C-alpha cells in the first residue's frame, strides 16, 4: 500500500461506454462512471476489488430491483451520454453537458464544476490532504471534502435538529429510539446517506449519495484539525467508497434526480391518506376487541372520518410479550369477524409485524429448523435483546426466510381479512461479528448489511399482499429502512416524545427526509411517548398532521391513556372539523402523491425548495410547502393566537380563509385560531377539493376546483384522478384535468381539457373563484353559468 509520503499515482487502464477505470502501481483502482449528463459516479477501491458487488439502493427510474440486488457494474437504465476527456498525465478532466470532473492523478484528488449557461462554476473539491484512505489508517472507508464557511447542508434522511446540518455530526446506525429528542437525538431509525449542498454565493446546489450498507457517520464541519484546513467527512465502518455526484443547479432538481436514482416511489391506495387511528393501549388491554369496537362507535358518535387503524402489537401478546403472527384469542376470539367489523365501516386494519422472534415464540423452533433466522457460523441463533427478552431476527437475505415470511403474512393476517402490513421494530440492532447473514449464498457478518434487512422485509410484506389481492395496490408502512424505501412503503418518524419541541422539530425532520427521497411520511400526532398531551398541544399537533401524507394519531402515554380525536371533549368538534378539512383537500393530496410517483416531486418541501432565489427562505423557520401551491405555517409554540409568516417573494399568496391577496417578499401577521390552520395558496394556482358532505362510514365525492387567480397573469393547474386502489391507471383508466388561463382586470379566461379514459363522475365541474372577485369567467370560449356554493360564487362547467 501507499504511504502518506508517496500517495498512489493513477493512470487510465480501461475506457468504455459510461466508464473509465484508473489503476495505480500499488494495486488501488478508481472507477469513474458517466451515467447521465448530471450524474457522475466515483468508486475508490484501495484493494482493487469490490467488497460488496451488489447494490439494492440504485434503481434508476425503476419501481423495484431484484431481490438479490443489482450488480454495481450494471449500467442499464442510464443513458451513458457522450463525454469529453482531457489527460495531460498530471490530471484527467471528464466533461459532460452539465458536469466537469477534474482528477489529479497523483494521490487522486477530485474537483467538481457545474455548468450554468456558458459558465463553469466550481462547487466542490476533495480535501487537499489525504482525502481518501489508501491503507493509511485502518480498515474503514473515508472521504474528506474541503468546505467553505457559508455552505449549507440539507437532507441526510431523518435527522434531528435544524434543517441546515452545518456544524453537526450524524451517525447512521439505526436504533429503536423511543422517546427521542427531535432536536438533539442521534442516531435515529433510517439509513439514507445522501446530502445536498447549497452554495449561497453562487446559488447552486449539488448532491452526494454514498451507496453503502455500513454504519457510517457524516461530519458537516463539527470536527476541525489545524493540519487540514476546513473540511467535512464521510466515514463508513466497512464496505466500499462508492459515491454519486448529482448536479443541480437547484435543490429541487437534486432531490428529484436522487429520487429517480434510488427508485420510483410507490403509488399507494388513496385510503392510505385518510386519518388512521392507533394506540398501544387498546390492544394491550385485556378487553382489546371491545376497546377496538368502541373506537368505531366513538368515530360514529363524533362523526370522525377514519379510513384505517394501525393495529398495535398487543394483538400478538402472550402475557406482556409480543409474538409476531400469533393471535391472542382471549383478546380477539375471532380475528376474521373482528376484521370484518372494521371493513364493514370502511376502515382498513394495518397490523403491526416485527421481524424478531423471541426464544419462547411458538414458531421459534419451526423458524430455527428451517434456517430462516440470523445465526452464527455454527448455525446457532444470533441472540439479540428485543422487547423484554432475547430473540433472533429473520434473515431476509435468505430466500427461504422470504418465502416463510410471506406465507405467515398471508395465513395469519391476509387470510383473516387484514389487507396491509405495518413493518415495525425493524432496525436490526445486530452488533456481534459472529452473526451471519446468508446474503443470497455469499454469507457475511449480519452487521455489515443491517439496513438491507428492513428494505427486504417491506418488499416481502408487499409481495404477499400483491399475491393475495393482485388487482389492488398494496399498502406497506415501515419505521426503518434505507435509501430506496420509497419504492415500497410509507414511513413515519418513529416513537416521538410528547412536547412542543417535538412538534417543531418533527416538522424539520420530515422535510429533511422528503428532500432525501422519502416524501410519503408523517409523525405520531400528539406524541407517542410521555405524558398525555394537553388540549392545546393536541389540537396544534392535529393542525400540523392533517397536511402530512401519513396522518395517524398514535400513542403510548405514561398514564395508559390513548390519544384519540375525542380525548379533550371541548376540542372534539375542532378536531373533527380539521379531519374533515383534510378530507376536503384529499383530491389535492392524492394528486401530489401521483406526481411524487410519476416525477419524484416531493409532497412536503421546505420553502426554499420552490423559492431558492429568495435567500430568506433559507433562514430557519417553521413553515413548509405542501406541493408547489400551498404554504402551511403550523403553530409550534404554546399560547400563540397570532402566527407571523414570511411569504416567499417568488410569488404572491392568497390567505386560504379570507381570500386576501398578499404580496410575496413580505411578512404577514395571521390570526391562528384552533379551527383554522394558517394556510396560503400561491397566486395563479388551482386546488382540487372534494366538496361533498363527509360523514363517518359514508364516503362521498364531488370534485371542485378552487381558483386563486392573480390580478393579472397566468392561472394553471392539473388534477389527477383514478379509482384510488387498482393498477388500472397504468392502462389509461384515469382522468387528468388540465385548466389553464389568463387573468386581467375584467376577465378570467380559461381552457379546460381532460386526458385519460376514465369518465367523469359528475355531469358538471364547479370552479370556485375568490370571494369578492367579480371578474367574468369564460371557459373554453363560453361564459360559464353560476350558482351559489356554501354562500359563495361558484362557476358551473358542463363536462361529458
Amino acid at each position: 500500500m501507499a504511504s502518506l509520503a508517496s500517495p498512489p499515482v493513477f493512470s487510465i487502464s480501461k475506457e468504455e461506454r459510461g466508464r473509465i477505470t484508473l489503476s495505480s502501481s500499488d494495486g488501488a483502482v478508481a472507477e469513474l462512471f458517466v451515467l447521465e449528463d448530471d450524474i457522475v459516479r466515483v468508486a475508490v477501491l484501495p484493494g482493487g476489488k469490490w467488497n460488496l458487488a451488489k447494490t439494492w439502493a440504485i434503481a434508476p427510474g425503476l419501481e423495484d430491483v431484484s431481490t438479490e440486488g443489482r450488480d454495481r457494474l450494471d449500467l442499464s437504465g442510464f443513458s451513458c451520454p457522450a463525454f469529453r476527456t482531457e489527460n495531460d498525465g498530471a490530471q484527467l478532466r471528464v466533461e459532460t453537458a452539465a458536469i466537469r470532473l477534474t482528477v489529479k492523478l497523483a494521490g487522486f484528488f477530485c474537483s467538481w464544476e457545474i455548468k450554468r449557461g456558458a459558465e463553469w462554476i466550481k462547487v466542490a473539491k476533495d480535501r487537499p490532504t489525504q482525502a481518501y484512505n489508501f491503507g493509511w489508517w485502518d480498515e474503514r472507508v473515508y472521504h474528506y471534502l474541503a468546505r467553505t464557511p457559508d455552505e449549507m447542508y440539507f437532507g441526510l434522511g431523518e435527522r434531528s435538529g435544524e434543517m441546515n446540518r452545518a456544524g453537526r455530526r450524524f451517525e447512521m446506525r439505526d436504533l429503536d429510539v423511543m422517546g427521542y429528542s427531535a432536536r438533539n437525538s442521534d442516531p435515529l431509525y433510517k439509513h439514507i446517506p445522501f446530502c445536498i449542498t447549497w452554495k449561497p454565493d453562487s446559488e447552486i446546489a449539488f448532491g452526494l449519495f454514498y451507496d453503502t450498507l455500513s454504519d457510517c457517520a457524516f461530519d458537516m464541519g463539527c470536527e476541525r484539525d489545524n493540519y487540514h484546513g476546513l473540511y467535512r467527512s464521510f466515514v463508513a465502518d466497512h464496505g466500499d467508497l462508492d459515491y454519486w455526484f448529482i448536479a443541480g443547479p437547484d435543490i429541487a432538481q437534486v432531490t428529484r434526480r436522487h429520487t429517480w436514482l434510488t427508485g420510483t416511489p410507490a403509488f399507494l391506495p388513496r385510503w392510505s391518506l385518510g386519518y388512521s387511528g392507533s394506540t398501544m393501549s387498546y390492544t394491550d388491554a385485556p378487553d382489546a376487541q371491545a376497546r377496538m369496537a368502541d373506537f368505531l362507535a366513538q368515530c360514529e358518535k363524533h362523526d370522525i372520518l377514519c379510513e384505517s387503524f394501525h393495529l398495535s402489537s398487543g394483538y400478538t401478546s402472550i402475557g406482556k410479550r409480543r409474538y409476531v403472527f400469533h393471535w391472542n384469542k382471549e383478546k380477539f376470539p375471532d380475528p376474521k369477524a373482528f376484521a370484518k367489523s372494521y371493513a364493514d365501516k370502511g376502515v382498513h386494519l394495518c397490523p403491526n409485524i416485527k421481524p424478531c422472534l423471541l426464544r419462547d415464540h411458538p414458531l421459534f423452533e419451526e423458524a430455527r429448523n428451517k434456517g430462516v433466522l440470523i445465526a452464527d457460523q455454527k448455525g446457532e441463533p444470533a441472540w439479540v435483546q428485543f422487547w423484554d427478552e432475547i430473540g433472533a431476527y429473520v434473515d431476509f437475505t435468505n430466500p427461504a426466510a422470504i418465502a416463510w415470511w410471506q406465507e405467515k403474512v398471508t395465513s395469519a393476517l391476509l387470510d383473516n381479512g387484514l389487507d396491509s402490513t405495518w413493518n415495525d421494530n425493524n432496525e436490526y440492532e445486530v452488533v456481534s461479528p459472529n452473526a451471519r447473514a446468508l446474503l443470497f449464498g455469499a454469507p457475511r457478518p449480519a452487521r455489515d448489511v443491517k439496513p438491507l434487512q428492513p428494505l427486504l422485509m417491506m418488499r416481502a410484506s408487499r409481495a404477499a399482499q400483491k399475491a393475495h389481492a393482485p388487482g389492488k395496490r398494496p399498502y406497506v408502512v415501515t419505521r426503518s429502512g434505507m435509501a430506496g424505501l420509497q419504492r415500497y412503503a410509507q414511513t413515519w418518524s418513529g416513537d416521538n416524545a410528547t412536547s412542543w419541541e417535538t412538534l417543531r422539530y418533527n416538522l424539520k425532520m420530515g422535510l429533511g427526509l422528503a428532500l432525501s427521497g422519502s416524501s410519503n411520511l408523517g409523525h405520531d400526532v400528539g406524541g407517542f411517548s410521555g405524558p398525555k398531551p394537553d388540549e392545546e398541544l393536541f389540537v396544534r399537533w392535529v393542525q400540523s398532521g392533517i397536511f402530512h401524507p401519513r396522518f395517524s394519531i398514535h400513542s403510548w402515554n405514561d398514564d395508559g391513556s390513548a390519544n384519540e380525536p375525542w380525548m379533550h371533549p371541548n376540542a372534539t368538534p375542532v378536531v373533527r372539523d380539521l379531519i374533515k378539512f383534510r378530507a376536503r383537500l384529499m383530491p389535492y393530496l392524492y394528486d401530489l402523491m401521483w406526481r411524487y410517483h410519476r416525477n419524484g416531486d416531493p409532497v412536503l418541501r421546505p420553502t426554499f425548495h420552490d423559492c431558492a432565489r429568495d435567500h430568506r427562505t433559507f433562514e430557519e423557520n417553521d413553515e413548509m410547502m405542501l406541493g408547489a401551491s400551498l404554504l402551511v405555517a403550523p403553530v409550534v409554540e404554546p399560547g400563540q393566537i397570532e402566527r407571523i409568516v414570511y411569504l416567499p417573494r417568488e410569488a404572491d399568496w392568497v390567505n386560504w380563509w379570507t381570500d386576501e391577496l398578499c404580496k410575496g417578499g413580505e411578512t404577514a401577521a395571521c390570526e391562528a385560531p384552533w379551527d383554522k390552520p394558517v394556510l396560503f395558496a400561491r397566486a395563479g394556482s388551482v386546488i382540487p377539493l372534494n366538496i361533498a358532505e363527509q360523514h363517518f362510514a359514508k364516503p362521498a365525492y364531488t370534485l371542485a376546483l378552487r381558483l386563486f387567480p392573480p390580478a393579472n397573469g397566468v392561472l394553471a393547474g392539473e388534477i389527477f384522478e383514478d379509482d384510488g386502489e387498482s393498477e388500472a391507471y397504468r392502462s389509461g383508466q384515469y382522468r387528468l384535468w388540465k385548466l389553464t388561463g389568463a387573468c386581467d382586470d375584467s376577465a378570467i379566461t380559461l381552457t379546460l381539457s381532460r386526458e385519460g379514459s376514465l369518465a367523469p363522475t359528475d355531469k358538471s365541474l364547479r370552479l370556485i373563484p375568490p370571494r369578492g372577485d367579480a371578474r367574468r369567467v369564460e371557459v373554453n370560449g363560453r361564459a360559464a353559468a353560476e350558482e351559489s356554493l356554501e354562500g359563495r360564487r361558484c362557476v358551473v362547467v358542463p363536462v361529458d
Side-chain angles (χ1 to χ4, degrees):
M1 279 293 182
S3 69
L4 290 176
S6 57
V9 178
F10 289 85
S11 60
I12 295 177
S13 58
K14 188 177 183 180
E15 186 171 349
E16 55 191 317
R17 178 178 177 268
R19 179 183 172 197
I20 300 172
T21 302
L22 305 177
S23 302
S24 79
S25 59
D26 298 310
V29 170
E31 300 273 14
L32 309 179
F33 299 88
V34 181
L35 302 171
E36 302 289 337
D37 281 327
D38 60 347
I39 300 176
V40 172
R41 171 186 169 202
V42 176
V44 179
L45 310 174
K49 295 181 179 179
W50 293 95
N51 287 302
L52 185 59
K54 296 290 185 70
T55 175
W56 287 262
I58 302 304
L62 303 174
E63 295 186 30
D64 204 357
V65 295
S66 167
T67 310
E68 298 183 7
R70 173 188 173 104
D71 193 294
R72 286 184 184 266
L73 299 181
D74 181 359
L75 304 187
S76 62
F78 295 105
S79 65
C80 297
F83 58 91
R84 294 178 55 216
T85 61
E86 296 178 14
N87 184 3
D88 62 8
Q91 66 179 27
L92 169 67
R93 175 169 289 170
V94 179
E95 184 178 307
T96 74
I99 294 172
R100 180 189 283 166
L101 165 63
T102 302
V103 181
K104 182 181 176 183
L105 295 173
F108 196 79
F109 296 96
C110 296
S111 62
W112 301 85
E113 298 168 90
I114 294 176
K115 195 170 189 179
R116 184 166 60 190
E119 180 185 10
W120 286 101
I121 300 172
K122 295 178 180 179
V123 295
K125 62 181 180 180
D126 288 338
R127 192 179 75 176
T129 50
Q130 297 95 48
Y132 304 93
N133 181 18
F134 292 107
W136 296 332
W137 306 303
D138 52 31
E139 298 303 313
R140 291 187 292 176
V141 176
Y142 295 82
H143 185 205
Y144 291 95
L145 290 131
R147 67 176 178 85
T148 57
D150 64 332
E151 284 182 346
M152 305 179 80
Y153 309 118
F154 302 102
L156 293 176
E158 174 188 74
R159 299 293 109 195
S160 64
E162 306 291 0
M163 285 292 298
N164 182 8
R165 315 304 191 193
R168 289 196 62 190
R169 186 179 188 278
F170 300 95
E171 284 188 75
M172 292 189 186
R173 180 170 52 87
D174 306 346
L175 296 177
D176 182 344
V177 284
M178 189 182 80
Y180 63 85
S181 165
R183 184 175 186 177
N184 296 309
S185 290
D186 186 76
L188 293 170
Y189 300 94
K190 296 177 182 68
H191 181 97
I192 305 179
F194 169 67
C195 180
I196 300 171
T197 300
W198 172 250
K199 310 280 288 187
D201 57 341
S202 56
E203 296 188 330
I204 202 162
F206 67 90
L208 286 177
F209 172 62
Y210 293 86
D211 187 4
T212 182
L213 297 175
S214 172
D215 286 353
C216 56
F218 286 82
D219 191 299
M220 312 311 294
C222 182
E223 178 182 292
R224 287 174 178 254
D225 188 327
N226 178 58
Y227 303 113
H228 298 284
L230 297 180
Y231 61 87
R232 52 192 269 207
S233 66
F234 162 81
V235 181
D237 287 352
H238 59 81
D240 302 292
L241 181 60
D242 186 9
Y243 70 91
W244 303 66
F245 180 94
I246 304 173
D250 55 44
I251 289 175
Q253 174 69 358
V254 174
T255 291
R256 195 159 43 243
R257 290 297 270 166
H258 173 258
T259 306
W260 173 85
L261 177 65
T262 54
T264 300
F267 191 31
L268 302 182
R270 185 167 50 220
W271 62 260
S272 69
L273 297 173
Y275 159 56
S276 185
S278 190
T279 178
M280 295 283 289
S281 64
Y282 288 1
T283 56
D284 280 355
D287 59 342
Q289 189 158 334
R291 297 286 297 275
M292 291 293 297
D294 185 62
F295 175 81
L296 293 179
Q298 292 297 321
C299 284
E300 194 148 19
K301 174 182 176 181
H302 298 290
D303 197 19
I304 303 294
L305 306 182
C306 180
E307 295 195 54
S308 68
F309 192 96
H310 280 57
L311 188 68
S312 289
S313 56
Y315 78 95
T316 69
S317 66
I318 301 174
K320 293 184 178 181
R321 296 175 182 161
R322 321 285 157 146
Y323 300 84
V324 65
F325 302 133
H326 170 266
W327 278 95
N328 183 319
K329 293 297 183 70
E330 293 181 357
K331 295 181 182 179
F332 296 92
D334 188 342
K336 282 188 177 180
F338 163 61
K340 185 176 184 300
S341 70
Y342 265 65
D344 288 347
K345 296 294 185 179
V347 181
H348 298 259
L349 285 169
C350 310
N352 185 285
I353 50 178
K354 307 181 189 298
C356 189
L357 274 61
L358 301 182
R359 60 180 171 178
D360 60 348
H361 193 296
L363 297 174
F364 192 88
E365 288 306 312
E366 175 188 325
R368 182 176 188 168
N369 293 336
K370 288 180 178 291
V372 303
L373 303 174
I374 293 177
D376 63 21
Q377 291 173 318
K378 297 179 181 179
E380 290 299 308
W383 301 110
V384 296
Q385 187 64 45
F386 193 85
W387 275 83
D388 302 322
E389 208 358 323
I390 61 170
Y393 285 108
V394 175
D395 181 7
F396 287 96
T397 71
N398 178 351
I402 293 172
W404 181 85
W405 184 264
Q406 291 178 196
E407 189 279 322
K408 297 304 179 187
V409 167
T410 302
S411 60
L413 303 173
L414 306 180
D415 286 347
N416 279 311
L418 295 85
D419 57 358
S420 58
T421 55
W422 172 12
N423 296 250
D424 197 12
N425 298 96
N426 49 356
E427 288 73 35
Y428 274 75
E429 296 185 30
V430 180
V431 296
S432 171
N434 298 318
R436 308 288 288 179
L438 185 64
L439 201 62
F440 306 103
R444 64 189 304 125
R447 65 184 185 180
D448 288 2
V449 294
K450 289 188 296 181
L452 177 59
Q453 297 283 359
L455 189 82
L456 295 178
M457 176 193 181
M458 64 185 92
R459 188 181 188 278
S461 299
R462 186 193 68 159
Q465 293 171 229
K466 288 175 70 72
H468 192 265
K472 293 185 177 181
R473 305 200 296 265
Y475 174 65
V476 178
V477 62
T478 187
R479 187 170 75 180
S480 187
M482 55 174 275
L485 74 85
Q486 74 272 6
R487 302 193 299 257
Y488 311 115
Q490 188 181 75
T491 191
W492 85 107
S493 58
D495 297 340
N496 56 1
T498 304
S499 70
W500 286 94
E501 181 178 273
T502 302
L503 174 57
R504 163 173 276 159
Y505 284 97
N506 265 173
L507 173 70
K508 299 170 186 285
M509 185 181 293
L511 295 178
L513 188 57
L515 288 178
S516 304
S518 294
S519 190
N520 192 345
L521 64 92
H523 314 286
D524 281 350
V525 170
F528 177 80
S529 172
K532 172 182 175 180
D534 65 27
E535 190 175 58
E536 181 187 13
L537 177 57
F538 182 65
V539 170
R540 295 307 192 188
W541 256 117
V542 173
Q543 276 193 339
S544 176
I546 61 172
F547 296 109
H548 288 69
R550 182 183 187 265
F551 173 50
S552 180
I553 299 174
H554 187 33
S555 59
W556 196 12
N557 295 336
D558 291 345
D559 64 359
S561 65
N563 291 351
E564 303 158 317
W566 45 85
M567 66 187 297
H568 295 294
N570 291 336
T572 299
V574 173
V575 173
R576 176 199 64 215
D577 290 346
L578 287 170
I579 295 173
K580 287 191 174 185
F581 181 65
R582 177 185 176 86
R584 192 176 182 88
L585 283 176
M586 189 62 70
Y588 181 66
L589 286 166
Y590 189 65
D591 178 79
L592 292 180
M593 296 308 301
W594 176 71
R595 294 179 190 284
Y596 176 48
H597 168 69
R598 186 186 67 168
N599 300 325
D601 295 322
V603 177
L604 301 175
R605 315 150 179 215
T607 52
F608 59 70
H609 178 278
D610 295 277
C611 306
R613 286 177 292 179
D614 184 346
H615 284 209
R616 281 195 62 178
T617 63
F618 286 92
E619 297 174 4
E620 290 294 335
N621 61 68
D622 302 310
E623 287 89 57
M624 67 178 182
M625 298 294 297
L626 181 61
S629 299
L630 291 183
L631 173 60
V632 183
V635 172
V636 295
E637 295 179 354
Q640 281 191 307
I641 59 173
E642 183 180 73
R643 180 68 158 83
I644 306 300
V645 186
Y646 175 69
L647 303 172
R649 64 176 169 81
E650 294 187 23
D652 289 336
W653 302 88
V654 180
N655 185 305
W656 184 275
W657 306 106
T658 67
D659 285 315
E660 178 188 0
L661 181 64
C662 302
K663 188 172 179 57
E666 297 182 354
T667 297
C670 305
E671 292 183 355
W674 287 10
D675 61 338
K676 291 182 173 62
V678 179
L679 181 64
F680 287 84
R682 183 190 294 266
S685 65
V686 177
I687 305 297
L689 302 173
N690 178 9
I691 60 171
E693 188 174 338
Q694 300 286 301
H695 297 288
F696 174 69
K698 297 176 182 178
Y701 184 82
T702 301
L703 179 68
L705 306 182
R706 185 165 171 186
L707 311 181
F708 293 91
N712 286 277
V714 174
L715 181 144
E718 292 186 4
I719 299 91
F720 176 87
E721 298 179 293
D722 72 344
D723 61 26
E725 64 175 10
S726 79
E727 303 283 357
Y729 74 95
R730 298 181 186 274
S731 58
Q733 291 291 309
Y734 64 86
R735 290 184 295 272
L736 181 63
W737 300 94
K738 295 185 177 183
L739 187 68
T740 59
C743 309
D744 58 27
D745 293 340
S746 61
I748 302 172
T749 306
L750 303 172
T751 299
L752 177 68
S753 61
R754 189 181 75 248
E755 295 178 2
S757 60
L758 193 62
T761 55
D762 297 296
K763 295 182 178 180
S764 59
L765 180 65
R766 289 164 175 81
L767 312 181
I768 307 172
R771 291 184 182 87
D773 191 330
R775 285 178 289 182
R776 183 178 72 259
V777 178
E778 295 182 358
V779 181
N780 294 340
R782 301 176 63 180
E786 297 186 5
E787 65 180 26
S788 176
L789 175 68
E790 299 173 349
R792 62 189 296 163
R793 176 189 177 207
C794 172
V795 175
V796 183
V797 181
V799 295
D800 53 20

